[in-house]
Amino acid sequence: MNSYNRASQRAMDTGSAQSWKNPHSGNYGSIRPNKRYRNEEGQYCREYTQTIYIDGSNHSGHGTACWEEDGTWNIVK
């Protein structure tokens, strides 16, 4: 699992912002999860925002991840 994926999983698990850096490319960023909630199917989900720096350029985004039965968070949108 790469540093981005580890930081993403940790952020969703803990509800705390996490940073990451790719030592090979030099790209880095942070993931900031919001409050956990249950969706219509009963899964735990979190909306999140992230900032990624690629070659020094700032890129921001947001999405939603939901907890899967295998214990991982999966991006659903």
Side-chain angles (χ1 to χ4, degrees):
M1 185 179 294
N2 65 39
S3 60
Y4 170 79
N5 288 338
R6 280 191 302 272
S8 295
Q9 292 295 315
R10 195 168 41 251
M12 296 302 134
D13 284 342
T14 66
S16 298
Q18 300 291 317
S19 297
W20 61 273
K21 182 172 184 176
N22 182 320
H24 302 291
S25 67
N27 299 334
Y28 63 97
S30 63
I31 300 112
R32 298 186 191 299
N34 294 322
K35 187 176 180 178
R36 187 174 69 169
Y37 66 93
R38 284 191 184 256
N39 67 11
E40 292 175 359
E41 291 81 33
Q43 286 178 294
Y44 285 111
C45 298
R46 287 188 193 273
E47 293 179 357
Y48 64 91
T49 57
Q50 63 181 348
T51 304
I52 300 172
Y53 293 88
I54 301 172
D55 295 328
S57 296
N58 175 346
H59 303 273
S60 296
H62 64 276
T64 302
C66 293
W67 188 81
E68 299 292 330
E69 289 183 15
D70 68 0
T72 62
W73 291 85
N74 185 39
I75 295 172
V76 295
K77 68 176 183 176

